[in-house]
Amino acid sequence: MPKAAIFAGLFVPISVRAVIWIIALIWMGMACILNARRCNRTHCRYTGPYYLAMIVPVMALGVGLVTVGIFGWIGLGVIILGGSGLIWWATERVWGKFS
């Protein structure tokens, strides 16, 4: 659901988009951190902090500290979602599903 909100956020004004993305990133980050504590899933220990760290560039774009067009936002979305997929794949490939 948060990933769908990130996609849907591309179609709203920048200030609303930033709020939607920040809420989605907090949701996914906290879910991963809690899941890592609950079941010790390997990728969750890394994707949780990653999602929370991705709030910083979203805030920078949201407040206009860095100005980019829609392609910049799409690129950031790809980095966020693609990066978490890469982290998931790499960590579980190296250390296993549970560690």
Side-chain angles (χ1 to χ4, degrees):
M1 186 137 148
K3 290 180 182 181
I6 287 175
F7 177 73
L10 289 171
F11 303 102
V12 297
I14 292 174
S15 58
V16 177
R17 179 181 311 147
V19 170
I20 291 170
W21 284 32
I22 290 168
I23 291 169
L25 288 166
I26 290 170
W27 181 348
M28 292 187 296
M30 293 309 298
C32 282
I33 289 170
L34 293 173
N35 197 39
R37 296 182 78 192
R38 183 179 58 85
C39 72
N40 216 21
R41 186 83 186 250
T42 302
H43 79 271
C44 287
R45 284 185 278 146
Y46 301 97
T47 53
Y50 173 76
Y51 284 133
L52 296 177
M54 289 295 102
I55 292 172
V56 174
V58 170
M59 288 177 67
L61 294 181
V63 299
L65 188 62
V66 178
T67 55
V68 296
I70 188 66
F71 293 113
W73 281 94
I74 292 170
L76 181 57
V78 168
I79 290 169
I80 291 169
L81 300 179
S84 67
L86 180 62
I87 290 169
W88 182 338
W89 175 81
T91 58
E92 292 196 358
R93 183 175 171 97
V94 173
W95 295 298
K97 193 171 187 175
F98 299 97
S99 61

